[in-house]
Amino acid sequence: MRFSRWLADRWVMGVALLVLGYLALPIAVVAALSFNRPSSRLSYDFNEFTLDNWRQPCATSDMCDAVLRSVQIGFISTVVATALGTLMAFALVRHRFTGRSGINLLIFLPMATPELVMGTSLLALFVSAGVPQGFWTVVIAHVMFCVSFVVVTVKARLAGMDRRLEEAAADLYAGPWQTFRLVTLPLVLPGIVAAALLAFSLSFDDFIITNFNAGTTVTFPMYVWGAAQRGIPPQVNVIGTAMFVIALLLVGLTSLRGRRSRRAALPIAPTAGRPVTPAPGLPVAPAAGGRAKNPS
């Protein structure tokens, strides 16, 4: 009976751990192969442990050029898509205007459209407009499909935010800019960071749309696809593992910063003879018959 009760209380957690292990298995294989010296260029078995792949990640110069190009495209696409998507999310959540429901539907079209259809459509658009395929056509294509993911992510964060916090800041005589900078932005920032990380990973990882619109530009996924025919160098696993670790660190730091911000925002119960200290930058509510004072 005790075992049955213990199993009934923990079977959901057990299934969740199995699913997470299944999802993390390919990442673990890539990380293990980054320390491998293969017996041949076409072999993927674990032959010998080595650190040479990490000591010389740019042993193949073409691969490092492709990685740098993918990082540049991903960075530009992420900045533009995050800015546009965040503004669109605020407009869709906080305002009511004509065509709002239609725009909400159109946001999901790039996410639901197959990449093959989107890539060929963009290629036809650029060719008919006389735009030569290259670096900037890839950036335009990546911004187009990344905006939808940013809007959906930031909208979810805004929808779960308590509007009473902003109203409380206004009651404390905070202006619109002070309320946005000290209340709204810190609460929405984790969602914006998550959307930016998602946009960068989608841009860095994209192959199908990029392949149609890249011209002579070679990104990291295109390099891996071309190298697969003659043997993928083990440094590819190093790049993949490094990108995963960097993303994991960014997510961890963002989560830690958000946890500290929530702890700092907890109200402190006043004690006898000890007034409550307001949050930095916010004006002080006026006492009875007095005027508001701004500590800044």
Side-chain angles (χ1 to χ4, degrees):
M1 292 296 295
R2 290 183 178 180
F3 177 75
S4 300
R5 186 178 302 173
W6 180 88
L7 185 62
D9 293 338
R10 292 171 174 82
W11 72 271
V12 175
M13 179 61 69
V15 173
L17 291 176
L18 289 176
V19 173
L20 290 177
Y22 172 75
L23 294 176
L25 183 60
I27 301 174
V29 172
V30 170
L33 289 177
S34 66
F35 297 97
N36 178 40
R37 179 182 285 117
S39 56
S40 64
R41 292 184 63 88
L42 297 176
S43 176
Y44 297 99
D45 58 334
F46 196 87
N47 179 52
E48 181 183 355
F49 179 85
T50 181
L51 294 175
D52 293 340
N53 300 329
W54 286 89
R55 294 193 186 105
Q56 299 175 349
C58 291
T60 306
S61 59
D62 294 342
M63 185 194 71
C64 285
D65 293 339
V67 171
L68 180 60
R69 198 168 295 113
S70 290
V71 172
Q72 292 173 346
I73 293 173
F75 178 77
I76 298 174
S77 304
T78 299
V79 171
V80 177
T82 303
L84 294 177
T86 301
L87 294 176
M88 291 176 64
F90 269 94
L92 292 172
V93 174
R94 296 296 180 85
H95 301 280
R96 300 292 184 268
F97 52 89
T98 305
R100 178 174 173 269
S101 58
I103 293 177
N104 275 320
L105 179 62
L106 292 175
I107 289 297
F108 287 93
L109 286 183
M111 301 172 61
T113 304
E115 291 189 353
L116 183 64
V117 176
M118 189 179 299
T120 54
S121 301
L122 284 170
L123 176 61
L125 175 64
F126 290 137
V127 170
S128 61
V131 179
Q133 287 77 44
F135 182 90
W136 291 108
T137 55
V138 176
V139 171
I140 294 173
H142 286 196
V143 169
M144 189 194 67
F145 68 78
C146 286
V147 165
S148 298
F149 292 92
V150 174
V151 172
V152 172
T153 305
V154 179
K155 273 184 63 179
R157 183 70 180 181
L158 283 172
M161 195 180 75
D162 191 355
R163 294 293 300 273
R164 292 176 297 181
L165 298 174
E166 296 174 312
E167 296 172 358
D171 290 339
L172 292 173
Y173 296 89
W177 171 243
Q178 282 182 306
T179 302
F180 176 79
R181 182 172 59 89
L182 299 174
V183 179
T184 307
L185 185 59
L187 292 174
V188 183
L189 188 59
I192 298 176
V193 173
L197 292 176
L198 178 61
F200 182 83
S201 63
L202 290 172
S203 175
F204 188 87
D205 186 62
D206 182 75
F207 170 75
I208 298 177
I209 298 176
T210 303
N211 192 35
F212 277 103
N213 300 278
T216 58
T217 303
V218 179
T219 60
F220 181 62
M222 296 177 63
Y223 172 84
V224 174
W225 177 75
Q229 303 175 3
R230 58 184 184 275
I232 300 177
Q235 285 79 9
V236 170
N237 300 314
V238 174
I239 300 299
T241 305
M243 295 296 297
F244 174 75
V245 171
I246 292 173
L248 198 63
L249 290 176
L250 289 176
V251 172
L253 290 176
T254 304
S255 177
L256 182 62
R257 184 177 182 275
R259 183 177 300 177
R260 289 180 176 177
S261 299
R262 287 191 297 269
R263 288 180 179 177
L266 291 177
I268 302 176
T271 58
R274 181 182 176 183
V276 178
T277 304
L282 286 177
V284 181
R291 299 180 60 185
K293 297 181 180 180
N294 196 324
S296 60

